Amino acid sequence: MGHLKHLGLRFEHDLTEAPGHAIELTRLAVQKGFDRIVSVGGDGTINEVVNGIHEAGSMSEITLGIIGTGTGGDYIRTIGLPHQYEKACECLMNSRKLAVDVGVVEYLNDAHLTRRLFVNFAGMGFDTEIVRRTTQQFKSLGSMSSYLMGLLAALLCFKNQDITMVIDGKAVESRICTVLMSNGKYGGGGMMAAPDADLTDGLLDVLVVGDLSKPDLLWSLPRIYKGTHLTHRKVAIKRAREVEIRSARPLPLQADGELLGEVPARIYLLPAALQVFI
């Protein structure tokens, strides 16, 4: 906070105490009349702040600032914001803003239809199993160790799933390993899942990883960090305005690395819905 004061910025701040708390704090800040909200943390914090802005009903009236202090930094990597704290603070002094798309997931949570916004990506399948294992079983180990343990557990236990995808009205049935709906380029701590994704084009980049065997999946994982996975014959990417996912059995969903509920789900974008300081 010292550098913000050094820059001459006047502000109030709150500290989160539990998952979901940033949503409540942001909603209260907007209701108090603040029109510039700054997220200090990782991708999960950005997600909660944006959901708080939306719940306050003021998306078009608020500008979001981001100071990335988390381990992932996938969203700021896509949007082009600096990782260095001092330079990120200086971006708040700029008048430059970027209108970015925001994703929406409509899904089932305890049999109730629920709506959640995401800024970067949403998905189901193998990637969600990693998130589930990491957060429910290994979170106390620290970010890198918990992710590696979650990855190992997912490799041992996950089975590819039969789903129906409806992409802009066209239904496709397939057995998949992962489906990832990307707004940004990066996810999972630096994986270039959607190399050509654009936060401002009004389209989701839908990555479909088909019926890979586990040895093939393990062999192919490093390619995602380089963005060369799209040459695999069982990997495809499509652009869409809206995606529906259905399954005969309950399958969990994640958005921006946070577990949500289960399919069936509908995923789409709110074009140019959020102003971000850059």
Side-chain angles (χ1 to χ4, degrees):
M1 298 300 172
H3 192 68
L4 292 175
K5 293 179 180 177
H6 176 73
L7 292 172
L9 291 172
R10 294 184 299 164
F11 61 92
E12 294 183 15
H13 73 279
D14 287 298
L15 299 177
T16 59
E17 299 175 356
H21 193 202
I23 297 176
E24 178 186 354
L25 293 175
T26 301
R27 185 175 62 248
L28 291 173
V30 173
Q31 290 172 351
K32 288 179 182 178
F34 289 94
D35 59 3
R36 300 183 180 189
I37 306 293
V38 180
S39 169
V40 182
D43 294 337
T45 304
I46 299 170
N47 177 286
E48 291 193 9
V49 169
V50 171
N51 275 276
I53 293 172
H54 181 259
E55 288 188 11
S58 302
M59 288 278 284
S60 62
E61 302 170 11
I62 304 298
T63 304
L64 174 68
I66 302 173
I67 299 175
T69 62
T71 54
D74 290 313
Y75 188 68
I76 65 171
R77 184 180 286 112
T78 292
I79 207 169
L81 287 169
H83 286 262
Q84 187 178 354
Y85 170 77
E86 290 82 4
K87 291 183 178 179
C89 291
E90 290 167 7
C91 288
L92 303 178
M93 303 289 291
N94 297 335
S95 59
R96 291 185 298 145
K97 303 175 185 179
L98 182 66
V100 297
D101 305 332
V102 176
V104 182
V105 186
E106 294 178 352
Y107 61 97
L108 290 179
N109 187 12
D110 293 330
H112 296 289
L113 185 63
T114 307
R115 196 170 188 251
R116 175 87 177 206
L117 271 58
F118 65 94
V119 295
N120 202 22
F121 62 91
M124 55 80 55
F126 182 71
D127 70 299
T128 304
E129 183 65 12
I130 296 175
V131 171
R132 188 179 74 83
R133 297 277 180 172
T134 299
T135 56
Q136 294 182 355
Q137 294 180 252
F138 307 113
K139 192 171 185 178
S140 61
L141 299 178
S143 58
M144 182 55 69
S145 296
S146 63
Y147 178 80
L148 290 175
M149 289 299 294
L151 173 62
L152 178 60
L155 280 169
L156 291 172
C157 302
F158 180 76
K159 295 181 180 179
N160 294 343
Q161 304 293 332
D162 293 316
I163 66 167
T164 299
M165 288 183 292
V166 184
I167 301 177
D168 285 343
K170 183 177 180 180
V172 178
E173 294 184 359
S174 58
R175 172 163 288 191
I176 58 91
C177 173
T178 286
V179 178
L180 198 66
M181 280 68 61
S182 293
N183 189 29
K185 296 178 186 292
Y186 298 93
M191 291 183 178
M192 197 186 299
D196 297 319
D198 185 340
L199 294 169
T200 65
D201 65 358
L203 296 170
L204 292 163
D205 281 43
V206 185
L207 177 69
V208 181
V209 180
D211 190 20
L212 266 65
S213 66
K214 289 182 179 178
D216 195 359
L217 175 60
L218 186 60
W219 179 259
S220 301
L221 274 174
R223 298 175 63 183
I224 303 179
Y225 287 93
K226 299 177 182 179
T228 60
H229 55 293
L230 300 182
T231 60
H232 194 291
R233 64 186 180 86
K234 291 187 177 180
V235 175
I237 199 159
K238 305 175 183 180
R239 287 202 171 90
R241 299 189 181 279
E242 180 177 306
V243 179
E244 293 183 45
I245 297 178
R246 306 166 188 160
S247 172
R249 53 169 294 182
L251 296 176
L253 291 161
Q254 62 85 12
D256 291 338
E258 302 293 324
L259 281 176
L260 300 180
E262 299 173 340
V263 301
R266 174 174 171 248
I267 303 96
Y268 57 96
L269 286 175
L270 303 175
L274 181 67
Q275 297 283 337
V276 181
F277 284 115
I278 59 172

